Amino acid sequence: MPDKDTMAMTGTEDTPGGRASPDSQDLPPSVFHSIKFFVLCHSLLQLTQLMISGYLKSSISTVEKRFGLSSQTSGLLAAFNEVGNTALIVFVSYFGIRVHRPRLIGCGAILVALAGLLMTLPHFISEPYRYDGTSSGNMSQDFEASLCLPTTLVPAPASSSSNCSSHMEAKHLAVVGIMFMAQTLLGVGGVPIQPFGISYIDDFAHSNNSPLYLGILFAVTLMGPGLAFGLGGIMLRLYVDIDRMPEGGISLTSKDPRWVGAWWLGFLISAGAVALAAIPYFFFPREMPKEKQELHFRRRVLTVVSKDEDAPLGEPAKKQGLAQIAPDLTMIQFIKVFPRVLLRTLHHPIFLLVVLSQVCMSCAVAGMATFLSKFLERQFSITASYANMLIGCLSIPGAIMGIVLGGILVKCLHLSPVRCSVLCLLGALFCLLFNLPLFFMGCPTHQIAGITHQPGSQPGLELFPSCMEPCSCPSDDFNPVCDSSTRVEYLTPCHAGCTNQAAPDKSHVSYTNCSCVTGSGSVRAGSCDSACSHLVLPFMVLISLGGVMASVIHTPSFMLILRGVKKEDKALAVGIQFMLLRVLAWMPSPVIHGSAIDTTCVHWAQSCGRRAVCRYYDNDLLRKRFIGLQFFFKVGSLACFALILAILRQQDKEEGTKVTCPGLQQQLLVSQPEKKPEESRV
């Protein structure tokens, strides 16, 4: 914070010999008085925080299947992480100098850990997962329950709504409510971690070392989402009820569409890691001694700055803006002041366009991060574990490389604002080009008896084939089987007219004497394999290359904001930028993408008379709408950067014209110091 720097520097200069202060020198040598140790602790904390925040995205499809959620609801659940964060992030600049920052960071981290534990609670209060139509205590009857039995031999199957009660429905709502509450607390706990940590490092680090420390911090932090997807890939290989397995085991493999992995175990591990990372923060001091090299170096910098910047004005530069006056304001005054300063910042065209471009790109990134794993599962018929491994090993490292590459280009080429906008424009253009082939890389939906029709069939056919009419098939049962010869999938062996089961083998199960199947009359358990699953690797390579191009934009667009607003408004502009990104991108985008995915569903599961999880999607329509949304947002980002480049070039031409008019330039130099304090005052 600026005030902290000013206070620290004033205390340093007033102390004889250039030492920090008597109080600071009397402190016993401790690892908790080292800014390097703080950087290490904060890197680990932000790593684990992002790991627990991103873990839900790696298991989004599993949570949907376990609790019968639509993609729209799961997208809203993922977005609730930002609700608590956005509601409180505005007040960080108000409380930043009034609190014990390390302890508040520790308290926030403990809240994040508790939120992670709360996310696991639905698993423990829910009944064991039922992947068939039998009761939870009778799992061994899985295969027999799905066979075709004559209607005269068994009672009419009860619908799902008849087995429901008000207690079960209330329990379902309570489980979903707990997850929403946990996500909200996860956002609230994360509010003080990054802003207070960065300001603490900047206050007490050597000014030469501060960029290095922050670079290390961001580099380690960016590995968090990758670890989240890697952890999801490992945990989803384990069965969801690994802590309460039925006698005799289960008859599912991870390739079965009914498989639900141990999604809750990842939250448990991540919460433990966050809790451990939070412990050191309760031992850090409110203020620690500055690094010794900082004292002499900073005094020289102040002298140079005062000569270069303050001499033309004839007086020391006065720092202004909301961040500087916040310590002198009450809470009510701060709330009244903030909207006016917000409107003043939004009136800047470059700032507004850069934020809009970042909002568009963040919408694409948020939707991709939330539902890419599910998209890969459905489009290429791969397991959730494999999808997470691909994302963690390809997409996340690509994004990290892009951010580093963008920073290197800005630093080494000394890019001006115009050239930064050109780099952003090229990055957005190549990101869009890598997006185009994705429209044509995917697998069509295979034939599903009674749900999808073969080409040339009559659209008015009955819902299910007439060959299964003598069977008493439960309408809400789901145990898919595949006819390998025709690549036709049936919802259950009963819907295929199968009356017998082959020798039971947990990994290879087949059904025989199926009246709806031609030829051998047998089907195998599980969904039909995809005919184009080999395309998943080229698809992910293009996704990763597009992610690299989108990440290259990060640093130059950030520099456009820092160089495009008034010096006294930089801190506020960055805060407003992140707030708008949360409100306009990270909160609505998962819901928008989830709603678009839901519109492509062709068969919904029913639970207590309500629509639950989607069983089958129209893959072609799913690909067009999901990739189409990505394309739409990236076109918006490209258009904004094109406008930014046009405005900056126009401003350069106007500046060139002003230089040729000495009288006008002198008039501006004389009048500007008089107006600046009034315009900057709130």
Side-chain angles (χ1 to χ4, degrees), residues 402-483:
I403 293 176
V404 173
L405 179 61
I408 291 175
L409 290 176
V410 172
K411 178 177 177 60
C412 295
L413 300 180
H414 304 287
L415 297 182
S416 63
V418 174
R419 292 185 176 180
C420 282
S421 64
V422 171
L423 179 59
C424 291
L425 186 65
L426 291 176
L429 178 61
F430 280 106
C431 182
L432 196 64
L433 293 178
F434 284 126
N435 196 93
L436 286 175
L438 303 181
F439 282 103
F440 312 101
M441 298 176 64
C443 306
T445 306
H446 49 263
Q447 174 70 16
I448 304 167
I451 296 177
T452 59
H453 299 283
Q454 294 179 351
S457 62
Q458 297 295 326
L461 293 177
E462 62 275 3
L463 182 60
F464 294 104
S466 58
C467 55
M468 50 79 64
E469 285 182 357
C471 308
S472 56
C473 301
S475 59
D476 56 349
D477 198 7
F478 185 61
N479 181 15
V481 293
C482 177
D483 179 6

Side-chain angles (χ1 to χ4, degrees), residues 212-452:
L212 174 63
Y213 293 157
L214 294 179
I216 294 173
L217 175 67
F218 290 134
V220 175
T221 300
L222 286 173
M223 297 191 314
L227 290 180
F229 280 98
L231 182 64
I234 296 173
M235 295 298 106
L236 296 184
R237 292 180 181 177
L238 306 175
Y239 185 62
V240 60
D241 290 325
I242 190 174
D243 57 328
R244 46 186 177 182
M245 292 285 283
E247 295 182 5
I250 57 172
S251 55
L252 289 183
T253 65
S254 59
K255 294 184 179 180
D256 195 297
R258 298 172 296 167
W259 174 269
V260 172
W263 61 273
W264 56 274
L265 200 53
F267 280 109
L268 207 59
I269 295 173
S270 301
V274 173
L276 289 176
I279 294 175
Y281 286 89
F282 296 98
F283 301 96
F284 282 108
R286 180 167 184 166
E287 296 180 6
M288 68 169 59
K290 282 182 174 291
E291 290 181 304
K292 294 182 179 180
Q293 297 175 351
E294 169 73 3
L295 306 177
H296 304 289
F297 179 81
R298 195 138 200 183
R299 212 164 47 235
R300 280 203 308 271
V301 172
L302 285 175
T303 305
V304 173
V305 170
S306 62
K307 288 181 180 178
D308 292 345
E309 295 185 1
D310 299 339
L313 299 178
E315 59 180 4
K318 296 181 180 180
K319 295 181 180 179
Q320 301 170 17
L322 186 63
Q324 181 67 15
I325 65 173
D328 301 325
L329 299 179
T330 64
M331 175 67 74
I332 302 300
Q333 291 172 332
F334 179 82
I335 295 175
K336 289 181 179 179
V337 161
F338 180 76
R340 288 188 288 175
V341 183
L342 173 64
L343 290 176
R344 187 185 73 185
T345 307
L346 291 179
H347 279 136
H348 197 290
I350 297 298
F351 174 80
L352 190 59
L353 284 172
V354 171
V355 170
L356 285 177
S357 66
Q358 290 180 337
V359 164
C360 291
M361 193 61 73
S362 296
C363 280
V365 172
M368 186 69 75
T370 306
F371 290 109
L372 179 58
S373 177
K374 177 176 181 175
F375 179 83
L376 295 177
E377 292 176 49
R378 297 293 185 169
Q379 193 68 215
F380 301 102
S381 299
I382 61 175
T383 64
S385 175
Y386 184 48
N388 285 328
M389 286 298 183
L390 287 176
I391 297 172
C393 295
L394 293 178
S395 295
I396 305 299
I400 296 174
M401 288 174 54
I403 293 176
V404 173
L405 179 61
I408 291 175
L409 290 176
V410 172
K411 178 177 177 60
C412 295
L413 300 180
H414 304 287
L415 297 182
S416 63
V418 174
R419 292 185 176 180
C420 282
S421 64
V422 171
L423 179 59
C424 291
L425 186 65
L426 291 176
L429 178 61
F430 280 106
C431 182
L432 196 64
L433 293 178
F434 284 126
N435 196 93
L436 286 175
L438 303 181
F439 282 103
F440 312 101
M441 298 176 64
C443 306
T445 306
H446 49 263
Q447 174 70 16
I448 304 167
I451 296 177
T452 59

